[in-house]
């Protein structure tokens, strides 16, 4: 505790030391002198009060239609200036959409004379976040109630084959990064390297060289002074520059360091691979075949490069488009940076994750409480779409048309540990299936309920949902995000990943060392009288229990990411994918001695099990890596 207060932040939520550090560095609001002006609880209050106030607009809409005032309505004489800004903006969105009657002044008058139940939601939202049951994605935490006001993590932008189009998208990328979002692009429409440029009679420089411009832009724009941006770059397997693209990244991560890259593959590619056939490489400008290469040659290059550098991954375009609920709006060609969110060009999505480790009751999962959180979180995420300040007009239009939200989970490994179930077991897959199908189903029900209250998403007409006769407020409701930072804030294991290391030594300033032990592992070993600093230091050497003498049961339950066979990783991803509208972010971790065949097998398995994409990470395949099991700097 003392240490936490010496950071200069009053921790009023009993967070972990790492959570406080992260919040202090990037999330808590600061004044002009850089002094922190809110506590963690006040941060969640800020977020809740700028999202929950949206409820008042729907109350007003209902009142205009039916004359009804909500139960428990409270008259509000005055809202804060920042709340008023959010309300005015959202009011105008709704006006533009043709769903709001009356004037803003009339609405403000309604607030003070008739009242709203928004305060109830504000309180519930605050409680849901400050209990760490649910945490929205970083931009919502950072920007709600601020000038930036941009609340989404995920964006996809189109890249057209002209200088105007490319630089228009570059500008939009800069605006998105500045506001805390990540961007994904397909570069497949760009004419290949050395192709003709009509206006200048010169030659084109090709997708990879343009990607480098996006990369530099990302480097230069530090987001709202907070974090550097992230990108996904996709090129389809039959683009003439595909080999250059596949080989573009290096293990020192010096080139395209702000990009994850993935090859866009289709069912046809796999047919060709299976028949040892050729792939026709097609110039997207002329639609002419420029060259033929063996599918196997491309496949081997992809696998070899993924073995060396962890890139490229694959994205399965046919699978994504088969599951696209709004085919009436268009085809999907890209995902966001970490791969979990397939989106249409100019579409954005806001995410939030439920901390599953909080839903264990003895040896059972508390489904009743989980249901309540799913419903409330779905409502919260739908409100975010209205509270959002979109960085680009077109993004506002497309996002409000499909109203995608991405409710996901974190703390899944913690949940398994609490239930004493090993991650790499059939039982764990069964739990994954049960939990995620429950969340998916309940969030669909919650979205249907919202559709009754607020209407269907505008592109519902003509969508797959309409064909099924199901009225939805949101075209998708579920996504499994990586939860890189929000799981640190919540103090739980990230996303659906296994524990990365049970203990490790962190080198801090002045040559001091800090031994960090996974809290569940500490609790367990203490309860069995096994805990000792000596043991923990030994565990910290590798991060796992492989070579530690300890009872087998504990070894199984506390299995770590690198000990889990890659096939279990893929099975887990596929299981969550089956019950998830959008995609699943998952790293298929492999030991450093994993072979190219292991990678090929994982990629193939992901395709066969209907995943939407796949990324592997072989330990030490990058010289600079974010996480290292065992002793770190
Ligand atoms: P968080 O925990 O911060 O909410 P996640 O790790 O769950 O974020 O990532 C979710 C999505 O947020 C990513 O797929 C990406 O679209 C976006 N994102 C994450 N980190 C960054 C970053 N540094 N810059 C831009 N976007 C990011």
């Amino acid at each position: 505790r003392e240490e936490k207060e010496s950071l200069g932040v009053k921790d009023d939520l009993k967070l972990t030391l790492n959570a406080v550090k992260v919040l202090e560095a990037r999330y808590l609001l600061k004044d002009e002198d850089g002094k922190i002006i809110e506590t963690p609880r006040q941060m969640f209050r800020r977020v809740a009060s700028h999202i929950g106030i949206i409820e008042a607009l729907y109350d007003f809409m209902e009142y205009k239609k039916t004359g009804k005032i909500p139960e428990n309505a409270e008259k509000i004489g005055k809202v804060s200036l920042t709340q008023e800004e959010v309300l005015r903006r959202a009011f105008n969105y709704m006006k533009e959409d043709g769903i709001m009657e009356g004037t803003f002044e009339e609405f403000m008058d309604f607030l003070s004379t008739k009242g709203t139940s928004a305060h109830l939601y504000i309180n519930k939202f605050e409680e849901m976040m400050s209990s760490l049951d649910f945490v929205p994605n970083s931009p919502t935490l950072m920007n709600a109630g601020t000038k930036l006001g941009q609340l989404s993590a995920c964006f996809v932008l189109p890249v057209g084959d002209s200088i105007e189009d490319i630089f228009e998208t570059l500008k939009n990328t800069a605006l998105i990064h500045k506001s805390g979002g990540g961007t994904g692009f397909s570069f497949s429409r760009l004419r290949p390297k050395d192709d003709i440029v009509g206006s200048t009679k010169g030659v084109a420089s090709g997708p990879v060289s343009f990607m480098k411009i996006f990369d530099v832009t990302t480097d230069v724009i530090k987001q709202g002074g907070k974090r550097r941006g992230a990108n996904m770059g996709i090129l389809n397997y039959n683009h003439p520059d595909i080999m250059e693209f596949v080989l573009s990244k290096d293990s020192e991560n010096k080139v395209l360091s702000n990009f994850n890259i993935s090859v866009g593959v289709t069912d046809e590619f796999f047919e060709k691979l299976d028949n040892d056939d050729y792939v026709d490489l097609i110039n997207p400008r002329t639609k002419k075949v420029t060259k033929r290469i063996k599918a196997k040659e491309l496949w081997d290059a992809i696998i070899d490069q993924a073995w060396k550098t962890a890139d490229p991954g694959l994205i399965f375009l046919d699978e994504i488009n088969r599951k696209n609920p709004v085919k009436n709006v268009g085809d999907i060609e890209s995902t966001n940076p970490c791969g979990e969110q397939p989106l249409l060009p100019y579409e954005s999505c806001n995410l939030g994750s439920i901390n599953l480790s909080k839903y264990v009751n003895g040896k059972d999962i508390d489904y009743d409480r989980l249901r309540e959180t799913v419903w409330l979180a779905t409502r919260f995420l739908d409100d975010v779409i209205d509270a959002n300040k979109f960085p680009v007009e077109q993004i506002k239009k497309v996002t409000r048309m499909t109203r995608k939200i991405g409710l996901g989970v974190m703390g899944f490994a913690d949940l398994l540990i609490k239930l004493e179930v090993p991650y790499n077991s059939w039982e764990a897959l069964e739990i994954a299936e049960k939990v995620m199908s429950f969340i998916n189903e309940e969030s669909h029900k919650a979205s249907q309920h919202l559709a009754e209250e607020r209407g269907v998403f505008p592109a519902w007409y003509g969508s797959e949902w309409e064909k099924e006769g199901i009225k939805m407020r949101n075209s998708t409701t579920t996504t499994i995000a990586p939860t890189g930072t929000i799981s640190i804030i919540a103090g739980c294991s990230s996303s659906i990943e296994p524990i990365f290391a049970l203990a490790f030594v962190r080198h801090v300033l002045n040559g001091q060392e800090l031994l960090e032990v996974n809290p569940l592992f500490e609790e367990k070993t203490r309860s069995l009288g096994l805990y000792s600093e000596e043991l923990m230091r030994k565990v910290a050497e590798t991060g796992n229990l492989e070579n530690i003498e300890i009872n087998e049961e504990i070894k199984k339950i506390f299995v770590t990411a690198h000990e889990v066979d890659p096939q279990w990783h893929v099975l887990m991803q596929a299981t969550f994918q089956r019950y998830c509208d959008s995609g699943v972010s998952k790293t298929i971790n492999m030991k450093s001695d994993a072979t190219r065949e292991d990678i090929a097998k994982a990629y193939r398995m992901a395709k066969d099990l209907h995943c939407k994409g796949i990324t592997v990470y072989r330990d030490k395949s990058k010289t600079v890596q974010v996480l290292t099991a065992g002793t770190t700097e």
Side-chain angles (χ1 to χ4, degrees):
R1 269 216 72 76
E2 264 172 37
E3 260 176 286
K4 281 193 264 182
E5 274 171 13
S6 71
L7 286 168
V9 180
K10 183 170 174 294
D11 173 16
D12 47 3
L13 291 176
K14 298 210 173 70
L15 304 170
T16 66
L17 178 60
N18 282 337
V20 176
K21 275 193 203 161
V22 165
L23 290 177
E24 179 191 33
R26 300 208 302 254
Y27 292 73
L28 301 176
L29 293 190
K30 295 176 180 161
D31 66 13
E32 280 154 18
D33 301 325
K35 196 169 149 270
I36 292 171
I37 53 166
E38 63 183 1
T39 65
R41 179 178 277 282
Q42 285 167 339
M43 171 188 76
F44 287 130
R45 179 82 194 162
R46 164 173 56 82
V47 176
S49 61
H50 289 87
I51 305 302
I53 197 68
I54 292 296
E55 298 283 335
L57 289 165
Y58 287 105
D59 288 345
F60 179 61
M61 231 185 258
E62 179 70 18
Y63 172 72
K64 293 290 279 186
K65 247 190 278 166
T66 65
K68 273 194 218 142
I69 304 165
E71 262 175 59
N72 307 312
E74 192 174 85
K75 291 176 189 160
I76 301 184
K78 208 169 153 23
V79 295
S80 74
L81 277 178
T82 45
Q83 275 178 320
E84 185 178 330
E85 200 185 315
V86 170
L87 287 170
R88 198 180 283 278
R89 188 170 54 231
F91 186 92
N92 289 337
Y93 289 165
M94 292 167 174
K95 267 275 183 294
E96 285 167 29
D97 293 349
I99 53 172
M100 178 61 90
E101 289 170 42
T103 63
F104 188 71
E105 286 59 43
E106 228 180 301
F107 163 67
M108 292 303 273
D109 187 55
F110 164 84
L111 280 188
S112 58
T113 56
K114 304 286 190 298
T116 165
S117 61
H119 59 284
L120 294 178
Y121 284 101
I122 291 174
N123 289 341
K124 284 188 194 176
F125 290 163
E126 181 191 343
E127 181 51 32
M128 172 170 75
M129 291 184 282
S130 53
S131 61
L132 306 173
D133 285 348
F134 165 88
V135 185
N137 60 205
S138 288
T140 302
L141 290 178
M142 288 173 175
N143 300 338
T146 73
K147 272 212 188 77
L148 265 173
Q150 197 292 104
L151 311 173
S152 298
C154 310
F155 295 79
V156 163
L157 294 172
V159 186
D161 186 35
S162 72
I163 293 296
E164 283 83 356
D165 283 355
I166 293 169
F167 282 83
E168 174 68 17
T169 293
L170 191 68
K171 180 188 84 183
N172 291 339
T173 302
L175 292 173
I176 291 168
H177 286 182
K178 196 178 102 176
S179 73
T183 38
F185 321 85
S186 169
F187 291 93
S188 302
R189 267 190 292 270
L190 297 189
R191 70 192 67 187
K193 195 171 178 172
D194 298 334
D195 193 28
I196 297 164
V197 179
S199 55
T200 60
K201 301 284 178 265
V203 291
S205 49
V208 175
S209 63
F210 282 112
M211 285 172 71
K212 289 181 182 158
I213 304 180
F214 282 80
D215 191 56
V216 171
T217 304
T218 308
D219 256 331
V220 173
I221 308 231
K222 201 171 169 201
Q223 307 183 332
K226 284 178 178 154
R227 63 176 181 180
R228 193 146 289 155
N231 302 292
M232 168 65 87
I234 286 169
L235 199 68
N236 289 355
Y237 73 99
N238 60 353
H239 190 283
D241 290 1
I242 191 66
M243 275 296 183
E244 186 191 355
F245 175 83
V246 167
L247 301 176
S248 62
K249 294 207 52 165
D250 57 320
S251 49
E252 277 97 52
N253 206 22
K254 285 198 179 126
V255 187
L256 297 175
S257 52
N258 302 302
F259 266 94
N260 291 321
I261 63 166
S262 280
V263 177
V265 288
T266 59
D267 296 346
E268 199 188 348
F269 171 73
F270 283 94
E271 278 162 29
K272 290 185 190 287
L273 186 62
D274 291 343
N275 297 329
D276 200 22
D277 223 335
Y278 284 89
V279 169
D280 290 337
L281 302 184
I282 298 171
N283 180 336
R285 184 180 63 87
T286 60
K287 312 277 186 280
K288 294 216 173 94
V289 178
T290 62
K291 202 181 160 188
R292 303 178 78 205
I293 55 168
K294 270 268 166 94
K296 179 78 166 60
E297 189 190 333
L298 176 57
W299 177 254
D300 287 346
I302 292 171
I303 299 298
D304 183 58
Q305 194 66 10
W307 185 86
K308 285 183 185 149
T309 71
D311 277 295
L314 298 179
I315 98 159
F316 302 111
L317 292 168
D318 287 337
E319 184 63 22
I320 285 177
N321 280 302
R322 269 192 288 275
K323 305 273 168 68
N324 174 4
V326 282
K327 299 184 176 68
N328 50 324
V329 186
D331 285 341
I332 292 172
E333 56 182 27
S334 182
T335 66
N336 70 321
C338 303
E340 73 276 17
Q341 191 63 50
L343 293 171
L344 296 158
Y346 287 117
E347 198 178 22
S348 70
C349 185
N350 58 292
L351 315 174
S353 298
I354 295 177
N355 176 0
L356 288 177
S357 76
K358 301 282 304 286
Y359 294 81
V360 185
N361 203 346
K363 289 279 158 279
D364 297 311
I365 296 170
D366 187 345
Y367 281 101
D368 287 335
R369 210 168 75 75
L370 185 58
R371 179 186 294 108
E372 270 176 43
T373 307
V374 170
W375 278 66
L376 194 61
T378 303
R379 190 171 189 113
F380 174 94
L381 293 172
D382 189 59
D383 285 344
V384 169
I385 301 173
D386 297 316
N388 210 344
K389 184 169 171 183
F390 295 96
V392 176
E393 183 65 22
Q394 185 67 5
I395 293 176
K396 178 187 86 187
K397 209 175 126 210
V398 181
T399 306
R400 290 183 60 79
M401 223 156 71
T402 57
R403 297 191 75 91
K404 280 186 183 165
I405 55 173
L407 178 63
V409 300
M410 52 186 170
F412 178 65
D414 291 345
L415 171 111
L416 291 179
I417 290 172
K418 287 184 179 173
L419 298 176
E420 302 190 335
V421 174
Y423 187 92
N424 44 354
S425 68
W426 296 109
E427 203 184 342
L429 295 181
E430 272 168 36
I431 293 172
E433 174 156 10
K434 209 165 158 214
V435 170
M436 197 59 212
S437 62
F438 180 83
I439 291 175
N440 204 36
E441 214 167 279
E442 290 299 329
S443 71
H444 286 177
K445 283 188 202 158
S447 182
Q448 285 161 41
H449 180 80
L450 285 172
E452 277 166 35
E453 269 183 38
R454 302 175 171 187
V456 291
F457 62 93
W460 181 82
Y461 300 93
S463 72
E464 302 307 297
W465 289 112
E466 189 198 14
K467 287 181 196 157
E468 286 176 42
I470 302 172
K471 294 197 165 170
M472 291 280 282
R473 176 68 176 158
N474 314 90
S475 62
T476 66
T477 64
T478 45
T479 303
I480 305 291
T483 72
T485 323
I486 60 170
S487 65
I488 298 176
I489 294 171
C492 64
S493 61
S494 62
S495 185
I496 58 164
E497 301 291 356
I499 301 288
F500 195 78
L502 293 174
F504 61 93
V505 175
R506 190 188 288 277
H507 296 285
V508 287
L509 292 177
N510 330 327
Q512 279 181 355
E513 288 184 347
L514 209 63
L515 180 66
E516 281 194 36
V517 181
N518 175 288
L520 293 175
F521 183 60
E522 176 169 348
E523 191 186 310
K524 185 75 185 173
T525 44
R526 279 192 195 279
S527 78
L528 295 172
L530 297 173
Y531 184 91
S532 71
E533 168 120 7
E534 191 196 340
L535 176 68
M536 296 304 138
R537 287 204 175 269
K538 214 163 147 213
V539 174
E541 283 168 22
T542 58
N544 64 49
L545 301 178
E546 232 173 347
N547 302 317
I548 305 277
E549 268 182 50
I550 198 163
N551 89 45
E552 284 302 314
E553 216 29 51
I554 292 192
K555 272 193 185 180
K556 281 188 193 155
I557 293 164
F558 287 95
V559 66
T560 63
H562 288 111
E563 298 167 278
V564 170
D565 189 286
Q567 296 181 48
W568 284 112
H569 280 282
V570 181
L571 279 170
M572 191 56 86
Q573 177 179 340
T575 305
F576 273 93
Q577 183 61 73
R578 215 172 311 139
Y579 303 101
C580 185
D581 292 339
S582 288
V584 175
S585 161
K586 176 92 185 67
T587 302
I588 309 303
N589 276 294
M590 298 195 179
K591 291 187 177 160
S592 62
D593 62 3
T595 62
R596 289 168 176 79
E597 287 68 43
D598 292 331
I599 291 180
K601 205 156 121 190
Y603 275 20
R604 189 68 211 215
M605 198 172 154
K607 150 84 176 119
D608 294 342
L609 294 177
H610 304 286
C611 292
K612 291 188 176 173
I614 177 110
T615 337
V616 297
Y617 187 77
R618 188 176 60 86
D619 197 22
K620 308 197 174 56
S621 61
K622 277 201 200 313
T623 46
V624 186
Q625 94 186 8
V626 184
L627 289 168
T628 319
T631 306
T632 66
E633 294 202 33

